[in-house]
Amino acid sequence: MASMSEMLDQVGVGETALKGKDAWNYAEKILLQVSRTFALNINILKGKLHKSILLAYLYLRIADTVEDDPDMTASQKEVILDLFANIFRTPELRDEDVEAFENALPESWRARRTEPYFDLCLHTHVVVPLLKELPEVYAGPVRDVTVEMCGGMAKFALRQEAALSSGWFTLESVDELDEYCYYVAGIVGKLLTHLFAADTCLIGEARKAEMQKLDVSFGLALQVANIVKDCREDSERRVCFIPEEICRRHGFEHSYDMFKSGDELVNSGEALPATGSAERADYDKRRAAVMDELVQKTWRHLSDAIAYTKLIPNIKMRTRLFCLWPLFMAAENMKLIGDGSSIFASDKKVKISRDTVKGIVKSTMKHFYSDKWIDRKFNEVRPRA
């Protein structure tokens, strides 16, 4: 498949000429390639709200691509993330700062520009100037969240590198989990409140203040749901975001003990309890209990996020749908996961079907305006305490 830059060259638009409408076209197209599901939410929006959230997503995806690179050291990531953040520290979004960031990117990325994430990073000079076309009430919050997220990502990259040198990256406490989730998702909730308020005079100072009490939970709900859903995949990278303090409560010395293979346990002098034994049943029960604590944490954040969404004036159909779709998708995933035992019951990842996604889109488009319907639907999905 041709890279985005090659596709644009084929239609006579070289990357140096990507300005105005052509640059926006690039941003719209690359979004579909770097986002699995969030593009659906973003593309329900219109106007300046759509453009500001589109750009914010792309900027945070650039930062995330740097943070996720397995070949760079944490100190290299820290330098490059700071260069990226430096672009957004002034409203001018200076060309020289963009150039300094792009020049600092690994040379190997240029050889892999057919991959959308790297292609986006190498087109920072295309997507950054677009922010200057938006009013400051939209552009300012986007700059602020990008700078803050880069700092948080650099901090955890350093911590992860230090931890992985001894085997696994883990988090000690629920507070550390919350801090991590804040930097990668919670601050997005803060951004959304500012942008939603900029988009309508119906969100005055009082309503905005109420939304700000809940907006971090909006981001945390989606992030913790992903941590629960993706924990087995993360373990393959020797990364575990499940706090050690939760695992110790349920008899595990370390969080990663829940994900060790039989060979790893044998080599460490331990033994995986035999399937069907009382010890294995106890082991599986304790694993499920650990996951259930995170599942319940997700439900609490989802409840706050639903309350947050209901504070959006109900005539703002697109804005409500932007929030409702990922929240109900996360809720349906949590329903499938149940008490957490299903995560370990099969080698297949627990995830909702396409039909479930279609059902969420269809039903919310009919009932987005009704707070009572939203509450009733959420309570139907959420298990009873």
Side-chain angles (χ1 to χ4, degrees):
M1 181 177 177
S3 71
M4 179 60 66
S5 56
E6 289 170 337
M7 290 167 59
L8 291 168
D9 286 339
Q10 289 168 8
V11 296
V13 184
E15 64 178 75
T16 57
L18 285 177
K19 296 180 181 179
K21 184 178 178 180
D22 293 325
W24 282 111
N25 286 340
Y26 172 82
E28 297 282 1
K29 289 177 181 178
I30 199 69
L31 171 68
L32 298 175
Q33 297 187 34
V34 298
S35 170
R36 289 174 294 178
T37 57
F38 217 66
L40 174 70
N41 307 25
I42 294 174
N43 284 334
I44 193 65
L45 301 171
K46 295 293 183 182
K48 296 181 181 68
L49 183 61
H50 166 76
K51 289 183 174 181
S52 59
I53 293 179
L54 163 64
L55 293 179
Y57 182 88
L58 295 181
Y59 301 155
L60 301 184
R61 178 55 63 192
I62 290 170
D64 194 53
T65 302
V66 174
E67 196 272 335
D68 279 346
D69 188 274
D71 299 320
M72 278 194 278
T73 65
S75 57
Q76 288 173 319
K77 293 177 183 179
E78 183 181 31
V79 169
I80 295 177
L81 285 168
D82 188 61
L83 286 171
F84 187 58
N86 198 47
I87 297 169
F88 300 93
R89 290 191 171 108
T90 64
E92 289 76 24
L93 305 172
R94 295 174 301 209
D95 292 343
E96 56 266 34
D97 293 331
V98 175
E99 185 178 2
F101 166 72
E102 286 194 1
N103 288 340
L105 295 175
E107 191 61 35
S108 60
W109 287 20
R110 304 177 204 286
R112 297 174 62 187
R113 66 186 309 149
T114 54
E115 299 175 41
Y117 297 104
F118 299 126
D119 190 77
L120 170 60
C121 293
L122 294 168
H123 282 79
T124 300
H125 64 280
V126 173
V127 294
V128 163
L130 294 175
L131 191 61
K132 289 190 280 189
E133 298 182 20
L134 297 178
E136 179 62 15
V137 71
Y138 291 93
V142 173
R143 293 197 308 272
D144 291 343
V145 76
T146 306
V147 172
E148 188 174 7
M149 182 173 279
C150 285
M153 284 183 171
K155 176 180 179 179
F156 275 91
L158 291 166
R159 189 180 298 181
Q160 182 170 333
E161 182 178 76
L164 285 174
S165 65
S166 60
W168 282 69
F169 170 72
T170 61
L171 298 173
E172 171 58 29
S173 65
V174 174
D175 286 345
E176 282 191 17
L177 172 63
D178 288 342
E179 183 185 19
Y180 169 78
C181 290
Y182 169 78
Y183 280 121
V184 298
I187 56 176
V188 175
K190 290 170 58 178
L191 168 68
L192 292 177
T193 298
H194 289 296
L195 297 181
F196 292 165
D199 192 58
T200 175
C201 62
L202 296 176
I203 299 179
E205 289 304 315
R207 187 184 293 246
K208 183 177 179 181
E210 288 302 306
M211 294 176 73
Q212 287 175 320
K213 295 176 183 177
L214 300 166
D215 56 15
V216 170
S217 258
F218 181 89
L220 264 57
L222 302 178
Q223 184 63 29
V224 180
N226 283 336
I227 286 173
V228 172
K229 186 163 55 76
D230 299 339
C231 63
R232 289 181 64 176
E233 289 180 62
D234 289 334
S235 72
E236 294 171 5
R237 301 184 291 118
R238 304 179 76 81
V239 170
C240 185
F241 293 106
I242 303 166
E244 299 272 273
E245 67 174 353
I246 294 179
C247 297
R248 285 196 294 269
R249 273 202 292 273
H250 299 283
F252 291 100
E253 185 176 355
H254 298 290
S255 57
Y256 50 76
D257 289 339
M258 297 192 301
F259 302 98
K260 283 183 175 179
S261 67
D263 288 342
E264 283 182 297
L265 288 167
V266 169
N267 291 336
S268 66
E270 304 172 64
L272 189 68
T275 302
S277 67
E279 291 82 4
R280 181 55 180 264
D282 176 67
Y283 174 78
D284 290 341
K285 183 179 179 180
R286 289 186 290 113
R287 284 202 303 188
V290 169
M291 298 312 303
D292 189 50
E293 286 207 33
L294 284 189
V295 169
Q296 296 309 317
K297 180 179 177 64
T298 305
W299 282 118
R300 290 191 294 273
H301 286 309
L302 283 171
S303 182
D304 284 347
I306 290 292
Y308 173 83
T309 302
K310 291 188 297 179
L311 286 168
I312 298 167
N314 63 5
I315 67 168
K316 301 296 292 183
M317 177 189 76
R318 294 177 182 277
T319 310
R320 279 198 166 202
L321 292 175
F322 171 87
C323 295
L324 288 173
W325 289 349
L327 293 179
F328 276 118
M329 289 177 198
E332 290 285 359
N333 268 312
M334 289 303 102
K335 181 181 178 181
L336 281 180
I337 289 169
D339 65 355
S341 57
S342 62
I343 292 173
F344 304 100
S346 169
D347 289 335
K348 293 184 178 180
K349 184 176 178 178
V350 178
K351 62 179 181 179
I352 58 177
S353 67
R354 290 185 178 180
D355 285 342
T356 300
V357 172
K358 290 178 182 178
I360 290 170
V361 171
K362 185 176 180 179
S363 62
T364 51
M365 289 186 76
K366 288 182 179 179
H367 303 287
F368 68 89
Y369 60 87
S370 172
D371 292 351
K372 288 184 178 179
W373 181 88
I374 292 170
D375 283 335
R376 184 171 69 251
K377 186 67 176 177
F378 181 68
N379 288 329
E380 285 174 5
V381 178
R382 183 176 185 174
R384 294 182 183 274

